[in-house]
Amino acid sequence: MPKVMVIIPAFNEENEIFNVVLDVSKYFSNIVVIDDGSTDKTGEKAKQAGARVLSHIINRGQGAALLTGTLYAIERGAEIIVHFDGDGQHTASEIPKLIEPILKNEADVVLGSRFLTQGIRGALGIPWSKKYFILLPARIFTCFTTGLKLTDIHNGLRALNRKAAELIQITHDRMAHNSEVLSEIKKKNLRYKEVPVTIYYKKYGQGFFDGIKIFLELLKGKIL
Amino acid sequence: MIIKIILLLFFIFALSRVVIKYKDRNINLGELIFWVLFWIIAGIIVILPEATSFIAQKVGIGRGADLVIYASIVLLFYMIFRMFVRFEKMEKNITKIVREIAVRGESSEPKTENRKQT
């Protein structure tokens, strides 16, 4: 079994992080939590649960935290790198099936999808407005700009093999990393596959104005 | 007339500051040239305000004052754009530093291989 490292970025998740790490540790032991400048006990709780913790002394954003973790994992010889949210919205038991296409060498990047239902309601409790007014236009936009036809264009749950991790440059510090990963997949010609996953909606996540922010972040990246 | 003299004195003072900053290596050659030209042009406009009307007519704008304002706005936008770029670069550099600290901080801690919950 190739070395798998699970990267969990977390910002002020002291209530969730212990259980998140515990759940993931049932399947994988190499867990790295990136404490992105939390002002609460996130780092401590993560350590108590048995994870390795890297601490950003100030908050830099989820994209930055994921890159820190990914680079760290590459340094330590990881062959499969999993990105997993620290707020309890992802499901640890789905990681094994997430990495399956990589193990079978069918894909370089595996993207979790809330909408490939296949009998499972992938996005439990997703607000209706989010599904149709935010994600649908975003899917069309993504298909238009990257050529990738995906059912879920904004999902933080993903797995990368070493080659993909080394090739994909996450340059955006904040939430644009999801879109960035997709355009990098296209640019670097990586094999990708979507796998149905379950997301528990505890918070709305990125709203319409956050979408605008992300769009502007991507635009800045192209111009500057 | 007094205002012209006051302004000119100020411009000469500003020029001297620019030269000193260059000598002290606080600004580079490009910036020196830019600011020297800037203050010289400002001085010319003060001495010969008709110059702006002259250029304005050549360019197709009604009044000299309008020309000065349009030109200033364009210049300001450009300078803001430059600042914006540097700001973004700074943010990325900060992240690099924070990342480095995070990784070094981890390696200096006593290594305990992932303890399983007992």
Side-chain angles (χ1 to χ4, degrees):
Chain A
M1 174 75 164
K3 183 169 183 182
V4 178
M5 281 184 111
V6 182
I7 310 295
I8 306 181
F11 176 61
N12 286 344
E13 298 287 359
E14 65 180 355
N15 293 324
E16 300 288 342
I17 194 69
F18 188 86
N19 290 327
V20 167
V21 174
L22 220 53
D23 286 342
V24 175
S25 64
K26 291 180 193 145
Y27 304 91
F28 299 100
S29 57
N30 281 317
I31 304 174
V32 183
V33 168
I34 315 297
D35 176 6
D36 191 19
S38 300
T39 51
D40 64 7
K41 295 192 170 38
T42 299
E44 277 172 51
K45 295 266 163 99
K47 260 192 220 136
Q48 278 167 20
R52 251 179 282 197
V53 178
L54 297 179
S55 294
H56 279 177
I57 55 175
I58 46 179
N59 177 263
R60 300 310 294 165
Q62 203 181 63
L66 284 174
L67 184 59
T68 298
T70 305
L71 290 175
Y72 178 86
I74 294 175
E75 276 278 303
R76 270 152 190 75
E79 284 162 51
I80 300 182
I81 295 166
V82 176
H83 290 170
F84 194 86
D85 277 1
D87 57 8
Q89 295 198 157
H90 289 168
T91 314
S93 57
E94 291 175 335
I95 302 182
K97 79 172 171 191
L98 190 75
I99 63 174
E100 217 180 283
I102 296 182
L103 290 171
K104 290 195 196 147
N105 200 14
E106 286 167 4
D108 300 310
V109 183
V110 181
L111 304 164
S113 171
R114 290 163 279 186
F115 307 116
L116 272 185
T117 45
Q118 296 185 6
I120 311 166
R121 282 169 54 233
L124 293 171
I126 185 171
W128 184 87
S129 61
K130 178 138 184 166
K131 189 165 181 181
Y132 292 107
F133 286 121
I134 296 176
L135 292 174
L136 186 52
R139 270 176 61 191
I140 298 172
F141 177 74
T142 303
C143 183
F144 187 67
T145 52
T146 65
L148 299 177
K149 285 209 190 68
L150 297 167
T151 59
D152 194 344
I153 46 73
H154 210 263
N155 195 317
L157 184 54
R158 60 176 82 95
L160 314 153
N161 63 15
R162 195 183 172 81
K163 166 177 125 177
E166 284 170 335
L167 285 176
I168 291 179
Q169 309 272 339
I170 300 181
T171 57
H172 288 99
D173 285 354
R174 304 249 160 224
M175 288 306 290
H177 63 87
N178 287 304
S179 310
E180 213 184 0
V181 167
L182 299 184
S183 71
E184 284 285 286
I185 289 176
K186 176 72 179 173
K187 260 198 272 187
K188 312 269 159 92
N189 255 323
L190 297 165
R191 300 167 302 169
Y192 64 96
K193 190 154 197 266
E194 275 189 309
V195 156
V197 295
T198 318
I199 310 287
Y200 290 89
Y201 268 83
K202 300 190 180 185
K203 355 176 248 226
Y204 196 83
Q206 302 301 298
F208 181 73
F209 291 109
D210 298 298
I212 306 265
K213 268 202 290 194
I214 292 173
F215 176 73
L216 289 174
E217 239 193 272
L218 295 168
L219 203 61
K220 262 194 302 190
K222 292 247 182 283
I223 298 178
L224 298 178
Chain B
M1 251 323 272
I2 303 275
I3 180 76
K4 282 197 191 188
I5 297 175
I6 295 176
L7 280 175
L8 279 175
L9 282 176
F10 175 73
F11 293 164
I12 291 173
F13 167 73
L15 261 177
S16 67
R17 302 296 301 161
V18 167
V19 172
I20 290 174
K21 296 263 179 239
Y22 178 68
K23 286 232 160 80
D24 284 345
R25 293 172 186 274
N26 284 334
I27 59 176
N28 59 38
L29 183 63
E31 285 164 339
L32 170 78
I33 294 176
F34 174 80
W35 288 110
V36 164
L37 281 175
F38 181 85
W39 292 117
I40 290 179
I41 291 174
I44 293 175
I45 292 178
V46 163
I47 299 174
L48 289 171
E50 312 83 58
T52 60
S53 312
F54 177 69
I55 299 174
Q57 260 146 39
K58 288 281 175 202
V59 171
I61 300 173
R63 309 178 318 183
D66 290 349
L67 174 66
V68 170
I69 292 187
Y70 294 153
S72 301
I73 290 176
V74 168
L75 187 62
L76 281 170
F77 270 126
Y78 177 69
M79 290 178 73
I80 288 175
F81 172 70
R82 290 280 305 264
M83 269 173 39
F84 201 50
V85 171
R86 291 188 66 177
F87 177 78
E88 282 303 305
K89 184 84 210 236
M90 247 179 16
E91 285 282 296
K92 296 214 155 86
N93 281 339
I94 290 175
T95 296
K96 281 193 191 153
I97 296 172
V98 171
R99 175 168 298 140
E100 185 64 31
I101 294 173
V103 171
R104 288 192 195 181
E106 202 267 345
S107 60
S108 68
E109 273 184 307
K111 271 264 191 294
T112 45
E113 264 311 295
N114 291 301
R115 310 169 286 247
K116 280 277 187 182
Q117 273 314 99
T118 41

